[in-house]
């Protein structure tokens, strides 16, 4: 009888295991479906984050910076009061076309200069104009065109503010000219204590040659007296030639011809072996375009699409060189000088800069080293597969003496317009090829331009700008508390690179990426949720009343919100950390579903059976949760 009983029990075990397996499987399936549904309905999908008004960015959208506050003075006196009554760092911005944070500094007082935009005086007879620094070149053109006057030197696009252009010492396509400083008579400068000083070649020459091209490091340029020229009619002539013939052609046909007003050469990628030179000559011919300035409300739908097409493939670049440009330049074109100088950056602006953006880099080499640099540049672009849209070749005469001069002698400028992705990996790739080009330019006796992404090493900066020590000494004198800061001087000014910063900067990936700090918020919620549970229990609450289901929604709401904030700032998708948040989020959702379901059923029953009092198990759980939290 006993043997039969054992035999029956043995035979029954597989059936029991099978039934239990089915039950457990059904429970797992129910929990899985419930977890998926809970994750789907939880969260805050409608959350929309807009960058705060204290976020300052530039045209590339690569450098969002949270400043402490933004002030937009309308008079010089108001600006002086703002500076004198404040403490701490100050950053200064105008049109915001610098591309590497030269207008911003974290937690600074940001001065937006765009309301200081008056024409102070216009001397038509002597061809001088006095303007406030927040005025754009286009606004100057509108003021002087009726008097048949034109700007003497400016960059290609007219949207920039005068103060910004002076701070970076721009240049353009003007033949027989060079850096903007060559057309400046004097400037007004507000120093760190709020004092207004005037500087010229004769009065405060150190400040004159330091503030122009000084990237806001010495003070705020608030006013400038600029030389003007006559507004003449100009005729376009163009020619295509091999790049090895360009320097000789320029010297023989362009450089010393007084009739040439504008000139540039477009070096075609991806081969970089063919140049189209475009020159504009003074003429008496009737204009083919009636407008004296490019209309401000122009339609720019086509140009950005063409640029996207060219950036999209080597075929697009071939089509530009062999189809688009020949069609563009085939007709005769005679315009007013002001018309050709009034381009709007809207013609370059893409519909979206989320995944990719367009940017500039620029390198200067002595005219005699043109061919050597082209060869080095071609090799670097090819090896790094750089998506260059165009390399514009310009010419500049020497700088008359600015402390951070980019043209100590006669130079060719290579303006590189390229497309890049917005990820950290893309930025690292740009930094690599750009540093190689800096080395190439410096080794050939040249330099690189500072208004773009701050990618050069401190050693490269010092080699490229040998008078930096004089600039820094002047800054220490006129700005002893180092109030005027931005990302450029954050990297290169010695007072901003204390020993710890230098050591930290030498360690790869030492600082945690900012978007990862944001993404820790849901994780911290799971750390502190047990604290809430412990506090809830220790004041005598019923464990069954704890909002486990609401906690699920809170976790996923935090997840949705922090990812929206990270997206708004344009941070890279941190796939590794997001995966971790999904793993712990799903597991926590399942856990809280089980706990919540238990507490609303069995938990309420056991609490009722215990007459509403804490059981030893309740007290044990409270202690365990407290210990875990601590």
């Amino acid at each position: 009888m006993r043997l039969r009983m054992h035999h029956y029990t043995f035979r029954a075990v597989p059936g029991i295991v099978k039934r239990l397996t089915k039950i457990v499987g059904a429970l797992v399936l129910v929990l899985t479906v419930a977890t998926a549904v809970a994750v789907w309905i939880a969260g805050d999908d409608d959350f929309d984050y807009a960058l705060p008004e204290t976020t300052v960015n530039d045209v590339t959208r690569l450098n969002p910076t949270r400043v402490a506050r933004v002030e937009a003075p309308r008079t010089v006196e108001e600006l002086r009061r703002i500076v004198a009554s404040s403490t701490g760092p100050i950053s200064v911005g105008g049109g915001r076309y610098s591309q590497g944070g030269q207008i911003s500094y974290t937690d600074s007082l940001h001065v937006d200069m765009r309301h200081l935009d008056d024409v102070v005086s216009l001397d038509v007879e002597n061809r001088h104009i006095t303007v406030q620094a927040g005025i754009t070149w286009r606004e100057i053109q509108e003021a002087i065109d009726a008097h048949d006057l034109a700007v003497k030197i400016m960059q290609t696009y007219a949207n920039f503010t005068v103060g910004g252009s002076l701070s970076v010492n721009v240049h353009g396509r003007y033949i027989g000219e060079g850096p903007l400083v060559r057309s400046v008579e004097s400037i007004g400068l507000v120093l760190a204590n709020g004092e207004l000083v005037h500087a010229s070649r004769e009065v405060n020459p150190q400040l004159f040659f330091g503030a122009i091209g000084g990237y806001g490091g010495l003070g705020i340029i608030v006013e400038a007296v600029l030389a003007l020229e006559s507004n003449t009619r100009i005729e376009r002539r163009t020619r295509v030639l091999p790049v090895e013939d360009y320097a000789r052609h320029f010297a023989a046909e362009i450089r010393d011809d007084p009739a040439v007003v504008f000139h540039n050469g477009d070096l075609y990628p991806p081969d970089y072996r063919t140049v189209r030179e475009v020159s504009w000559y003074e003429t008496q011919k009737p204009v083919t375009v009636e407008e004296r300035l490019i209309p401000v409300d122009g339609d720019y739908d086509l140009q950005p699409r063409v640029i996207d097409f060219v950036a999209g493939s080597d075929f697009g670049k071939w089509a530009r060189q062999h189809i688009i440009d020949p069609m563009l330049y085939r007709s005769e074109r005679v315009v007013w000088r002001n018309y050709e100088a009034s381009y709007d950056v809207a013609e370059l602006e893409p519909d979206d800069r989320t995944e990719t953006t367009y940017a500039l880099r620029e390198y200067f080499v002595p005219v005699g080293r043109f061919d050597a640099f082209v060869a080095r540049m071609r090799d670097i672009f090819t090896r790094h597969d750089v998506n260059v849209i165009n390399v514009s070749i310009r010419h500049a005469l020497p700088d008359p003496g600015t402390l951070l001069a980019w043209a100590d002698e006669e130079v060719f400028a290579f303006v590189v317009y390229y497309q890049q992705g917005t990820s950290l990996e893309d930025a690292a790739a740009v930094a690599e090829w750009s540093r190689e080009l800096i080395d190439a330019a410096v080794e050939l006796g040249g330099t690189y331009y500072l208004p773009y992404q701050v990618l050069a090493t401190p050693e490269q900066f010092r080699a490229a700008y040998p008078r930096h020590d004089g600039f820094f000494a002047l800054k220490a004198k006129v700005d002893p508390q180092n109030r005027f800061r931005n990302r450029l001087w954050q990297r290169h000014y010695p007072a901003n690179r204390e020993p710890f910063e230098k050591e930290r900067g030498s360690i790869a990936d030492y600082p945690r990426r900012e978007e990862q700090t944001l993404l820790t918020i849901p994780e911290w919620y799971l750390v502190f949720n047990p604290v809430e549970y412990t506090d809830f229990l220790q004041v005598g609450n019923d464990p069954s009343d704890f909002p486990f289901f609401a906690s699920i929604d809170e976790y996923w709401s935090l997840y949705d919100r922090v990812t929206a904030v990270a997206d708004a700032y344009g941070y890279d998708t941190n796939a590794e950390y997001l995966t971790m948040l999904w793993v712990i989020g799903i597991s926590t959702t399942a856990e809280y579903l089980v706990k919540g379901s238990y507490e609303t059923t069995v938990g309420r029953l056991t609490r009722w059976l215990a007459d509403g009092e804490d059981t030893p198990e309740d007290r044990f759980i409270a202690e365990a949760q407290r210990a875990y939290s601590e």
Side-chain angles (χ1 to χ4, degrees), residues 407-428:
D408 281 333
E409 59 182 290
E410 187 178 343
V411 298
F412 280 118
F414 294 81
V415 185
V416 181
Y417 185 56
Y418 64 97
Q419 184 191 65
Q420 72 168 88
T422 55
S423 70
L424 291 174
E425 291 75 15
D426 294 321

Side-chain angles (χ1 to χ4, degrees), residues 15-30:
I16 295 171
V17 171
K18 188 174 182 180
R19 291 188 187 94
L20 288 174
T21 300
K22 288 183 178 180
I23 293 170
V24 171
L27 290 173
V28 170
L29 178 61
V30 169

Side-chain angles (χ1 to χ4, degrees), residues 416-454:
V416 181
Y417 185 56
Y418 64 97
Q419 184 191 65
Q420 72 168 88
T422 55
S423 70
L424 291 174
E425 291 75 15
D426 294 321
V430 172
E432 185 174 358
W433 61 256
S434 182
R435 288 170 185 154
E436 287 189 29
L437 277 170
I438 291 172
D439 285 340
V442 172
E443 288 168 11
L444 293 172
T447 185
Y448 70 101
Y449 205 17
L450 297 172
Y452 305 123
Q453 294 181 59
V454 185

Side-chain angles (χ1 to χ4, degrees), residues 39 107 214 321 346 353 364 366 406 409 421 429 442 483 515 547 581 590:
V39 171
D107 294 331
Q321 179 178 348
R353 290 183 183 263
F364 305 95
W406 45 261
E409 59 182 290
V442 172
R483 298 197 65 198
E515 89 285 347
L581 290 178

Side-chain angles (χ1 to χ4, degrees), residues 346-618:
E347 70 174 25
L348 303 176
E349 187 59 29
D351 290 336
D352 181 67
R353 290 183 183 263
T354 304
E355 300 296 330
T356 59
T357 190
Y358 294 93
L360 292 168
R361 302 207 67 75
E362 187 168 355
Y363 308 89
F364 305 95
V365 295
V367 292
R369 310 308 298 272
F370 177 89
D371 292 329
F373 184 77
V374 169
R376 296 276 295 270
M377 180 177 65
R378 179 191 300 123
D379 172 65
I380 292 167
F381 284 158
T382 302
R383 282 191 291 104
H384 290 276
D385 194 25
V386 184
N387 191 1
V388 176
I389 313 303
N390 185 59
V391 180
S392 181
I393 304 167
R394 318 284 178 85
H395 174 265
L397 294 180
D399 187 292
T402 62
L403 293 178
L404 297 178
W406 45 261
D408 281 333
E409 59 182 290
E410 187 178 343
V411 298
F412 280 118
F414 294 81
V415 185
V416 181
Y417 185 56
Y418 64 97
Q419 184 191 65
Q420 72 168 88
T422 55
S423 70
L424 291 174
E425 291 75 15
D426 294 321
V430 172
E432 185 174 358
W433 61 256
S434 182
R435 288 170 185 154
E436 287 189 29
L437 277 170
I438 291 172
D439 285 340
V442 172
E443 288 168 11
L444 293 172
T447 185
Y448 70 101
Y449 205 17
L450 297 172
Y452 305 123
Q453 294 181 59
V454 185
L455 303 177
T457 66
E459 292 73 24
Q460 287 179 317
F461 169 79
R462 291 194 292 268
Y465 289 90
R467 292 199 295 278
H468 63 275
D469 284 338
F471 178 82
F472 291 153
L474 181 59
K475 177 172 174 60
K477 178 181 177 181
V478 300
D479 183 19
Q481 294 180 313
N482 187 24
R483 298 197 65 198
F484 293 110
R485 306 185 200 178
N486 54 48
R487 292 196 188 186
L488 175 68
W489 299 131
Q490 181 181 10
R491 183 172 184 85
H492 294 309
Y493 186 47
N496 293 323
R497 292 181 56 81
E498 61 274 273
F500 174 72
E501 179 67 23
K502 292 180 181 178
E503 187 68 22
R504 183 175 67 174
S506 68
I507 302 173
D509 299 324
Y510 177 87
R512 180 166 62 183
R513 286 157 50 177
E514 192 170 46
E515 89 285 347
Q516 186 164 322
T517 296
L518 280 171
L519 295 175
T520 62
I521 292 174
E523 184 181 10
W524 280 114
Y525 174 72
L526 295 186
V527 171
F528 283 97
N529 189 254
V531 177
E532 295 181 39
Y533 186 50
T534 302
D535 294 340
F536 183 85
L537 297 180
Q538 289 190 336
V539 295
N541 287 309
D542 185 344
S544 299
D545 291 333
F546 188 77
F548 286 106
F549 297 143
S551 297
I552 295 172
D553 184 68
E554 193 164 3
Y555 174 85
W556 290 108
S557 292
L558 288 171
Y559 175 89
D560 287 340
R561 291 168 188 169
V562 297
T563 52
V565 173
D567 288 344
Y569 278 103
Y571 296 130
D572 290 350
T573 299
N574 193 325
E576 182 178 356
Y577 211 87
L578 291 176
T579 300
M580 185 272 291
L581 290 178
W582 270 93
V583 170
I584 64 175
I586 290 171
S587 63
T588 300
T589 299
E591 175 189 347
Y592 283 10
L593 283 173
V594 172
K595 287 182 175 179
S597 299
Y598 173 86
E599 289 293 355
T600 55
T601 55
V602 178
R604 291 202 179 279
L605 176 62
T606 57
R607 186 76 171 185
W608 177 74
L609 293 174
D611 295 327
E613 298 294 328
D614 286 345
T615 64
E617 291 80 8
D618 291 332

Side-chain angles (χ1 to χ4, degrees), residues 41 74 83 179 207 210 226 231 268 281 345 449 470 518 573 590-591:
I41 64 175
R74 294 180 178 274
V83 172
L207 287 177
L226 307 171
N231 184 33
Y268 287 110
Y281 293 75
V345 293
Y449 205 17
L518 280 171
T573 299
E591 175 189 347

Side-chain angles (χ1 to χ4, degrees), residues 200-248:
S200 66
R201 290 167 177 78
E202 296 77 28
V203 179
N204 294 316
Q206 271 196 309
L207 287 177
F208 180 81
F209 288 116
I212 297 177
Y215 294 83
L218 302 182
I220 304 175
I221 297 174
V222 294
E223 191 174 280
V225 180
L226 307 171
L228 302 174
E229 287 286 354
S230 297
N231 184 33
T232 58
R233 283 172 289 181
I234 52 176
E235 175 188 10
R236 183 181 66 194
R237 302 177 195 171
T238 179
R239 176 178 174 180
V240 177
L241 63 161
V243 67
E244 57 266 24
D245 295 341
Y246 175 80
R248 183 170 56 253

